[in-house]
Amino acid sequence: MTAQPHSGGRASAPIRTEALEALLTEKGLVNAGALDGLINRFVNDVGPMNGARVVARAWVDADFRERLLDDGTAAVGEFGFSGPQGEHIVVVPNDDKQHNVVVCTLCSCYPWPLLGLPPDWYKDPAYRSRIVREPRLVLSEMGLDLEDDINITVWDSSAENR
Amino acid sequence: MTLTCATQADGENLVDGLAAEGPAAAPRSNGELVFKAPWEGRAFGLALTLVDRGLFTLADLQAELIIAIAEWEALGQSNEEYEYYECWLVALERLVDRSTAVGLSDIDQRSEQYVARPHGHDHDHAHDHDHGH
């Protein structure tokens, strides 16, 4: 019998992960060295600095800004930022009257090539439910106070994908 | 609209000048560790490796993850801290069960063996193991 997921009846996650890796390695599906390389890439080489470069480019290059807003995936690809979870990038601009917030209400999907893996708060159930209901308050709690005349649009990336 | 050469050159410096380290460094890891524990990185990497090998797609993984997260939320364990990668692992195990020769019962059995290891067993992920079956 299989232990129920999400329950105390299972071995701990570190143990199960170790077992899973060993079994997949034995089947020839996983190679420890390649796995190390893949993990290191996500820890060291991708992160918000990639997205920061794209935004900085858009600040100083109006043609690029236009391309970025027109086809985010292609424009971001000019930097070589592509790969898993970077297949459908949509870029929305903030200005004096408009602020955009992104959430994935279902699974915390995130543009890895552009921003790295999502931070904890982004995956938190409280953020995922509250940002939709009370975005102004949540942003304020996070340190961003927006004037009342600034419109806030919340984008649900899981809904956008379906 | 065309930028002047001077502006373009300045822009080049601005973008390329984003320091890798120091106070002006572009944010690297959202101010927190990418993985809180090594197993989270392994679970993440295992899933992507199997996607790379074409055993299942990222969309399959996302769909299973949505189910696992919904299950966790349905339990209403507000006193338990939410662990995203626990859900990730539940989703990954189900996909492995469905898409490879490794089944959930194999994972259960091997995990039980590891739990029963003598205390202080110095385990290295990179080594092959003979647990003396």
Side-chain angles (χ1 to χ4, degrees), chain A residues 126-162:
Chain A
Y127 173 78
R128 290 189 286 117
S129 58
R130 286 189 59 216
I131 194 70
V132 178
R133 290 200 312 271
E134 40 189 14
R136 202 173 297 271
L137 178 60
V138 173
L139 287 175
S140 168
E141 289 169 5
M142 296 175 85
L144 180 66
D145 285 308
L146 294 173
E147 299 294 336
D148 285 343
D149 63 342
I150 298 179
N151 184 53
I152 300 177
T153 302
V154 179
W155 302 81
D156 185 347
S157 63
S158 50
E160 302 303 319
N161 275 337
R162 291 188 168 78

Side-chain angles (χ1 to χ4, degrees), chain A residues 9-160:
Chain A
R10 295 169 19 122
S12 67
I15 293 277
R16 290 188 73 83
T17 304
E18 188 185 344
L20 189 56
E21 181 177 344
L23 289 162
L24 291 170
T25 303
E26 288 161 19
K27 298 281 184 220
L29 294 172
V30 168
N31 167 285
L35 185 59
D36 288 344
L38 188 153
I39 295 165
N40 282 337
R41 205 151 43 75
F42 274 92
V43 170
N44 298 314
D45 299 342
V46 299
M49 65 282 188
N50 290 0
R53 286 177 61 92
V54 172
V55 172
R57 168 68 68 194
W59 286 340
V60 298
D61 181 340
D63 290 339
F64 177 74
R65 183 177 191 275
E66 206 171 300
R67 291 202 297 283
L68 185 63
L69 295 177
D70 184 48
D71 183 345
T73 313
V76 165
E78 293 175 28
F79 285 77
F81 302 149
S82 60
Q85 297 279 48
E87 299 93 342
H88 308 287
I89 303 282
V90 176
V91 179
V92 284
N94 292 341
D95 59 32
D96 294 345
K97 295 287 165 221
Q98 173 68 35
H99 191 88
N100 299 284
V101 190
V102 182
V103 62
C104 172
T105 53
L106 295 180
C107 62
S108 319
C109 61
Y110 203 66
W112 297 340
L114 208 50
L115 297 178
L117 299 183
D120 260 1
W121 60 260
Y122 192 81
K123 298 176 285 194
D124 194 274
Y127 173 78
R128 290 189 286 117
S129 58
R130 286 189 59 216
I131 194 70
V132 178
R133 290 200 312 271
E134 40 189 14
R136 202 173 297 271
L137 178 60
V138 173
L139 287 175
S140 168
E141 289 169 5
M142 296 175 85
L144 180 66
D145 285 308
L146 294 173
E147 299 294 336
D148 285 343
D149 63 342
I150 298 179
N151 184 53
I152 300 177
T153 302
V154 179
W155 302 81
D156 185 347
S157 63
S158 50
E160 302 303 319

